[in-house]
Amino acid sequence: MRICIVGSGNWGSAIAKIVGVNATKKPDKFVSEVRMYVYEEMIGDQKLTDIINTKHENVKYLPGYKLPTNVVAVPDVKEAAADSDILIFVVPHQFVRGICSSLKGTIKNNAIGVSLIKGFEVKKEGGIRLISEVIESELNISCAVLMGANIANEVAEANYCESTIGCKNKETGLLLKECFHTDYFRIVVVEDNQTVEICGALKNIVAVGAGISDGQGYGDNTKAAIIRLGLMEMIKFCKVFYSNSMMATFLESCGVADLITTCYGGRNRKVGEAFAKTGKSIEQLEKEMLNGQKLQGPATAAEVNHMLKVKNMEEEFPLFTSVHRMCQGEYPVDTFIDCLKNHPEHI
């Protein structure tokens, strides 16, 4: 099977390091060459794709880590995905529909998608759509998800960690596991794909709140409360809007482990802290701090709030709602803890 990685940011490049090695180790299962779609940029006087293909390093988004030589950077998404059997999507969720439009009608009918993307798409009528559902409907393929407690640079460093594949078809999930599983990157497959994906998106909202708490000088006790209250809202969100969710999924890496990791590390916590300390806008901090990467937490908070507002449920999710309103400048950051003090004791 031929593998294509659609995206080449920090996380996309880290996962390319794993997938590239696995493709060469398993010639009975995978074509050795792994194409990686790279949005073309100039780094000095050189194209980023040329640098990746000669130096085997994404010097902009994952500097200091060598990519396997069989990972080939391609600046055209159609060319990258041509004849691919497995498409690994790892781009900011705002760009998914545009990429799918470019790929529509050009990929194999029996191709398999797997989304590593955190976020939602807003429906005009007020609901949200999972990114895997967008990929499935646009490309007419099945799409699994991979989410977990995975800070990209730590994965690239080959530090031991875990991740969760959510796939409706267990056999397909086990095939995808062959792409990603290593002795330091442990994969568990579950069939509760919706909960896996929802956890991956919602935890970024909580992480922004954790960062705001850090920026105001609160300690680990406060952060632990934010994590607990955030987990409560994540569970409630799944219970209310995705009633088939399984509680056991929250105990996988995609659930509580990813929530903890993201609230202590990662870009959403980092920018949340700077937001509280500097008074600068989220947009300004994203440009100053992320080297071209996109911040997912505030955008996801807005998408979730759109749904909650339509259904008159904002007050039932006070942490999600207050993070959104602070990011929009509607609440001052020093009101965050007061919002949490009034959080219901039970969900």
Side-chain angles (χ1 to χ4, degrees):
M1 304 185 81
R2 177 176 287 280
I3 305 169
C4 169
I5 301 170
V6 183
S8 58
N10 186 236
W11 185 215
S13 298
I15 213 70
K17 191 169 178 282
I18 288 173
V19 172
V21 169
N22 278 347
T24 57
K25 282 184 175 179
K26 301 172 183 179
D28 56 322
K29 292 184 173 68
F30 304 115
V31 175
S32 177
E33 181 188 70
V34 174
R35 297 186 199 133
M36 179 171 70
Y37 164 60
V38 176
Y39 178 78
E40 192 68 278
E41 302 177 63
M42 296 302 295
I43 309 296
D45 59 353
Q46 284 186 287
K47 293 178 179 179
L48 181 56
T49 52
D50 289 342
I51 295 172
I52 292 172
N53 288 333
T54 54
K55 296 184 177 179
H56 306 293
E57 179 183 351
N58 189 333
V59 295
K60 179 165 185 180
Y61 296 111
L62 194 68
Y65 299 96
K66 290 294 183 182
L67 298 175
T69 57
N70 62 313
V71 174
V72 179
V74 180
D76 182 274
V77 70
K78 290 183 184 177
E79 182 184 341
D83 298 320
S84 292
D85 302 286
I86 297 172
L87 297 160
I88 300 168
F89 292 88
V90 54
V91 294
H93 73 283
Q94 300 93 324
F95 303 142
V96 169
R97 191 167 284 276
I99 284 174
C100 286
S101 292
S102 298
L103 291 176
K104 193 178 290 187
T106 68
I107 62 174
K108 288 183 174 180
N109 293 333
N110 61 345
I112 303 164
V114 53
S115 172
L116 281 61
I117 300 167
K118 286 132 178 130
F120 302 113
E121 182 183 79
V122 174
K123 294 180 182 178
K124 291 179 181 178
E125 60 271 22
I128 57 173
R129 179 174 290 166
L130 302 180
I131 296 302
S132 63
E133 293 174 345
V134 175
I135 293 169
E136 287 182 336
S137 63
E138 288 295 298
L139 299 180
N140 197 29
I141 61 173
S142 64
C143 186
V145 295
L146 183 147
M147 307 280 161
N150 310 134
I151 302 295
N153 285 59
E154 293 185 21
V155 173
E157 199 74 61
N159 291 348
Y160 179 80
C161 60
E162 299 176 316
S163 205
T164 312
I165 288 177
C167 187
K168 287 171 276 191
N169 183 300
K170 191 70 175 283
E171 187 177 327
T172 301
L174 292 173
L175 169 64
L176 293 173
K177 180 176 179 177
E178 297 276 359
C179 295
F180 299 103
H181 186 87
T182 72
D183 58 355
Y184 68 89
F185 192 66
R186 181 174 181 263
I187 298 294
V188 174
V189 179
V190 300
E191 294 176 70
D192 185 12
N193 58 300
Q194 287 186 330
T195 308
V196 173
E197 185 167 1
I198 293 163
C199 284
L202 295 182
K203 54 93 180 182
N204 283 330
I205 305 175
V206 186
V208 174
I212 289 171
S213 172
D214 288 343
Q216 292 183 284
Y218 291 99
D220 286 342
N221 290 352
T222 305
K223 188 179 287 190
I226 290 167
I227 291 170
R228 188 188 75 84
L229 296 171
L231 181 60
M232 284 174 65
E233 292 194 14
M234 289 166 62
I235 293 170
K236 181 174 182 178
F237 188 90
C238 288
K239 281 186 174 180
V240 171
F241 300 113
Y242 296 89
S243 58
N244 292 328
S245 294
M246 298 171 62
M247 281 297 300
T249 306
F250 290 96
L251 299 179
E252 297 292 347
S253 182
C254 62
V256 66
D258 194 11
L259 177 61
I260 292 168
T261 296
T262 310
C263 286
Y264 276 92
R267 68 188 75 158
N268 288 282
R269 190 221 61 82
K270 183 179 177 182
V271 174
E273 181 180 19
F275 180 64
K277 284 182 173 179
T278 66
K280 295 179 180 179
S281 70
I282 291 291
E283 293 77 14
Q284 187 176 355
L285 291 168
E286 183 182 61
K287 289 176 183 176
E288 291 178 4
M289 299 175 66
L290 298 186
N291 192 31
Q293 297 179 94
K294 288 293 181 182
L295 194 67
Q296 300 302 320
T300 303
E303 291 148 9
V304 168
N305 187 259
H306 178 75
M307 182 174 182
L308 297 178
K309 195 168 186 177
V310 168
K311 297 182 181 297
N312 197 29
M313 296 182 71
E314 288 176 288
E315 292 185 2
E316 296 186 39
F317 294 86
L319 190 151
F320 291 170
T321 299
S322 59
V323 167
H324 167 66
R325 289 182 176 170
M326 284 185 291
C327 289
Q328 294 296 311
E330 297 173 16
Y331 283 2
V333 293
D334 58 10
T335 64
F336 184 43
I337 301 303
D338 289 333
C339 293
L340 300 182
K341 288 176 183 176
N342 298 318
H343 201 286
E345 293 182 9
H346 305 288
I347 59 170

